[in-house]
Amino acid sequence: MTVSKNINNPVGQGGGQRKRLSRAERQNNGPHRNLDRRGAADQKAELVRKMREKAAGQTGESAAQS
């Protein structure tokens, strides 16, 4: 087996080929990120809905107590 002079680049030692990345994927903007963003948007929408329900419940209770 041939050995490279550079210790960080040993020739002939596995690793295979790297997947070709699109330009968007190289900028960390691939399809996986879109899924993450969709999940984050869903969580945010759920949180906003809960906060609105809680706020509506508090205004209703304070009006009933007065």
Side-chain angles (χ1 to χ4, degrees):
M1 174 173 74
T2 308
V3 177
S4 171
K5 291 181 180 178
N6 182 349
I7 196 166
N8 294 325
N9 185 21
V11 175
Q13 295 202 358
Q17 293 182 343
R18 296 180 65 177
K19 174 182 176 278
R20 287 195 179 213
L21 300 175
S22 68
R23 188 171 180 176
E25 287 173 328
R26 276 184 271 143
Q27 294 172 349
N28 197 19
N29 193 16
H32 59 279
R33 182 166 183 229
N34 293 338
L35 291 174
D36 291 343
R37 288 175 135 187
R38 192 175 306 136
D42 291 343
Q43 284 181 339
K44 183 177 178 182
E46 182 69 17
L47 181 63
V48 169
R49 183 186 63 79
K50 286 181 181 178
M51 289 175 66
R52 285 189 180 145
E53 286 178 359
K54 188 174 181 181
Q58 287 179 349
T59 56
E61 288 176 10
S62 61
Q65 291 176 353
S66 299

